[in-house]
Amino acid sequence: MQEQFYDRTRYEVSDAVRERHQAAAETVVSRERYGHLIDGEWIDAAAGEDGVAIDATTGAELATVQSGTPEDVDRAVEAARATVEGSWGQLTPGQRADRLGEIADRLADRTTEIAKLDSLETGKPNLHALFVDCEVLVEQFRHFAALARSTDDGRVVPTGDEKRVFTHREPYGVVGAISAWNFPAMFVAWKLGPALAAGNAVVFKPSERATLSSLAVARICDRVLPPGTVNVVTGTGDAVGEAMTSHEDIDKLSLTGSRAAGVATLENAAQTITPTSLELGGKSPNIVFPDADLEQAIEGTLVSIFFNSGQQCTAGSRLYLHEDIAAEFIERLRDAIDSLTVGDPLAPTTDIGPMIDHAHRERVREYVETAVAEGATVAAGRTDMVKGELEGAPFVRPTVLTDVGDDDRIGCEEVFGPVLSVFEWRDREDVLRRANDTSYGLAAGVWTEDLRTAHEFAAELEAGTVWINTYNDLFDPAPHGGYKESGTGRELAEEALAEYSQVKTVKVNLGGVPKMG
């Protein structure tokens, strides 16, 4: 039986596009049918069912992948437990660092292949996949290789002469990691880098919508690490995700996904009191002051909302423009949008690729139509489909909406597409209140030449990351994570090691034992 993870059809694109994508796929898709990666082997699902990896641009089938079951999760957890208690668990921090460094070197040699897989399966522009996603992918493994070797293992607690007290960090053991489809290869490093550096073994579930690059990265890891250190079970959230988040023998959970997925994870993890880290959605404010460098602010706005076709949790989807510059800013922003290339993600000049699929395209479209019905004005975009050879692919053109109310649906909910809502402001305290008036708190942007204002706003904004005169800069190894309903925990930096390890306190008595009375 062949199970499709969601409804798909071959899209009506030109023969030239279809042939170009087929030729690209033949160079990077290494097998027609992928199994789960468990204990160093490609293994069939217990129920014998398949899912499908689909080209986001053409709708063509790239390969079949396993549709996993709870039994498959059990096998993966068993393999992870054995290796963390055996070969992997016996390595020193320095030895773990060497392995992570070797993984980084091998990945660096394969970035062209990995980027192409992501462009095919997600519609991500290849230029971005190669020089953003894959750069972060490799750097994360290098960063955590260094941290594995150099991070303090614990501390000595000051005491009197008759006691010695110290702490020690230990791995949890088996980590269950669940990832999203918008940055599939990069998110593998976000999870595996710190988890492995801390000494854990991992059971990894990629999104059913984007699987192939995750499998490619995991296979490279598996060739360097003891079998069973990294295991991958592919399939749906209802089957594999549910089994992982409620598994009694998984010691730590980490998820990147939607708010709904985060809530489901917490509910399941609560039954076993399993520690959980979450990186969820966002509705991030991007605030432009009247003294801002408009050229830089406009370029930063493009990056904030249209990078990855808007399919990003950090998207600066709420743009707050001071009323003195709003009209000029919107006019110049419209011109900048016109210069963007919407097209084939494999083309080197493409800035905006298709949505992940037609179902998601319709979801984004529905948000725009609802906003217009509620009174919003389309200042740019709204012509969803591209013409010519890509006409049948699931594109949404960059769209800018003005006259949006703070309480309108599109002003409150995460759209996850290239749709920007514009708000005007006059009073500083008022715009700060409006920017914070959201259940999310993943990121925020501030554009001003006044550093006092910038620092004041950064201190008051309720967001895990605040960018000043830039946006979406995640290249530096600084902690990343959310406030409020955008999640818990941190990734990308040294703070992530704390998410994948637990502290043991050891107290040594060198004197007499206290008496009862």
Side-chain angles (χ1 to χ4, degrees):
M1 172 183 176
Q2 181 161 308
E3 172 191 338
Q4 287 197 343
F5 291 142
Y6 54 97
D7 292 335
R8 305 178 175 97
T9 56
R10 286 168 61 89
Y11 310 147
E12 295 300 324
V13 298
S14 73
D15 290 342
V17 170
R18 197 174 299 283
E19 290 169 3
R20 187 159 64 243
H21 279 242
Q22 181 178 350
E26 289 173 353
T27 66
V28 293
V29 178
S30 61
R31 56 187 65 217
E32 294 182 1
R33 186 171 183 271
Y34 290 83
H36 303 309
L37 182 59
I38 299 177
D39 206 17
E41 302 290 340
W42 295 111
I43 296 176
D44 289 339
E49 295 184 354
D50 286 341
V52 188
I54 294 295
D55 186 319
T57 306
T58 69
E61 185 176 310
L62 296 169
T64 57
V65 294
Q66 298 292 298
S67 181
T69 66
E71 291 78 9
D72 300 318
V73 174
D74 289 341
R75 290 192 288 177
V77 172
E78 183 179 351
R81 178 67 62 196
T83 194
V84 81
E85 292 178 353
S87 55
W88 179 244
Q90 301 305 311
L91 298 186
T92 66
Q95 290 170 326
R96 293 200 300 269
D98 291 341
R99 302 299 194 280
L100 292 176
E102 184 178 347
I103 289 170
D105 291 341
R106 293 192 181 207
L107 288 171
D109 292 336
R110 300 280 293 278
T111 54
T112 300
E113 168 194 335
I114 293 167
K116 194 173 293 184
L117 283 169
D118 271 359
S119 293
L120 288 167
E121 200 172 8
T122 72
K124 183 188 301 285
N126 192 248
L127 193 68
H128 300 165
L130 184 59
F131 293 108
V132 178
D133 298 29
C134 285
E135 286 288 321
V136 175
L137 165 69
V138 174
E139 179 54 34
Q140 277 288 284
F141 277 102
R142 295 203 194 284
H143 179 64
F144 283 104
L147 288 179
R149 190 183 302 276
S150 62
T151 300
D152 289 340
D153 180 54
R155 66 188 181 93
V156 176
V157 180
T159 62
D161 292 338
E162 294 188 344
K163 282 195 294 185
R164 295 292 183 268
V165 179
F166 60 91
T167 65
H168 175 60
R169 282 203 167 271
E170 297 179 344
Y172 278 105
V174 176
V175 170
I178 301 173
S179 191
W181 52 260
N182 51 329
F183 294 94
M186 189 172 73
F187 284 156
V188 180
W190 285 28
K191 305 297 185 189
L192 264 59
L196 295 173
N200 302 281
V202 180
V203 177
F204 184 83
K205 179 203 172 303
S207 169
E208 61 267 34
R209 284 173 155 176
T211 303
L212 300 184
S213 69
S214 299
L215 288 170
V217 174
R219 189 52 164 167
I220 291 171
C221 294
D222 181 71
R223 287 171 175 157
V224 175
L225 306 173
T229 310
V230 173
N231 307 275
V232 182
V233 181
T234 56
T236 65
D238 290 343
V240 178
E242 179 78 13
M244 288 177 61
T245 56
S246 58
H247 205 287
E248 293 184 354
D249 205 28
I250 286 179
D251 306 303
K252 161 73 183 184
L253 288 164
S254 177
L255 174 135
T256 297
S258 66
R259 179 190 179 279
V263 170
T265 297
L266 287 173
E267 289 175 346
N268 288 340
Q271 303 307 308
T272 52
I273 320 295
T274 302
T276 304
S277 300
L278 305 171
E279 201 263 38
L280 307 177
K283 194 66 183 175
S284 301
N286 194 21
I287 306 168
V288 184
F289 282 79
D291 68 336
D293 182 319
L294 292 193
E295 183 176 350
Q296 289 193 21
I298 289 167
E299 186 61 35
T301 297
L302 295 179
V303 172
S304 78
I305 187 63
F306 300 133
F307 175 68
N308 208 46
S309 304
Q311 298 170 128
Q312 45 172 325
C313 295
T314 56
S317 55
R318 293 186 294 148
L319 177 64
Y320 290 91
L321 299 176
H322 191 274
E323 61 182 13
D324 290 350
I325 59 165
E328 179 186 359
F329 193 101
I330 292 171
E331 185 63 32
R332 292 173 63 174
L333 179 63
R334 186 184 294 113
D335 292 340
I337 290 172
D338 288 342
S339 70
L340 298 176
T341 299
V342 180
D344 188 340
L346 295 182
T349 58
T350 293
D351 299 302
I352 306 288
M355 299 289 94
I356 183 70
D357 56 39
H358 274 283
H360 188 61
R361 172 188 176 273
E362 290 306 310
R363 177 179 180 274
V364 174
R365 260 185 72 178
E366 193 269 334
Y367 268 107
V368 176
E369 296 304 322
T370 299
V372 171
E374 291 179 344
T377 300
V378 179
R382 204 186 174 192
T383 304
D384 295 325
M385 304 297 288
V386 299
K387 301 300 183 182
E389 64 178 10
L390 291 164
E391 187 168 350
F395 282 91
V396 174
R397 288 187 178 276
T399 302
V400 177
L401 300 174
T402 57
D403 304 314
V404 177
D406 287 338
D407 297 327
D408 288 354
R409 182 186 177 202
I410 204 165
C412 300
E413 297 182 13
E414 185 178 38
V415 177
F416 224 62
V419 180
L420 178 66
S421 298
V422 179
F423 307 85
E424 294 188 23
W425 64 276
R426 175 186 301 175
D427 178 73
R428 287 175 47 160
E429 293 304 313
D430 179 59
V431 73
L432 180 62
R433 176 191 61 78
R434 292 164 67 192
N436 286 335
D437 187 18
T438 173
S439 60
Y440 293 109
L442 188 57
V446 176
W447 299 86
T448 177
E449 295 296 286
D450 185 337
L451 288 182
R452 178 185 293 275
T453 296
H455 283 288
E456 289 174 352
F457 264 67
E460 295 294 330
L461 284 166
E462 297 168 357
T465 297
V466 179
W467 287 294
I468 297 174
N469 295 332
T470 187
Y471 206 97
N472 267 339
D473 180 359
L474 294 172
F475 286 100
D476 301 309
H480 173 70
Y483 282 17
K484 300 188 282 191
E485 293 182 14
S486 287
T488 60
R490 292 297 180 265
E491 296 181 293
L492 288 177
E494 184 174 355
E495 286 79 357
L497 280 179
E499 304 292 337
Y500 291 96
S501 59
Q502 50 195 340
V503 177
K504 175 180 288 182
T505 297
V506 179
K507 294 187 176 182
V508 181
N509 178 35
L510 302 176
V513 177
K515 299 185 185 304
M516 287 289 293

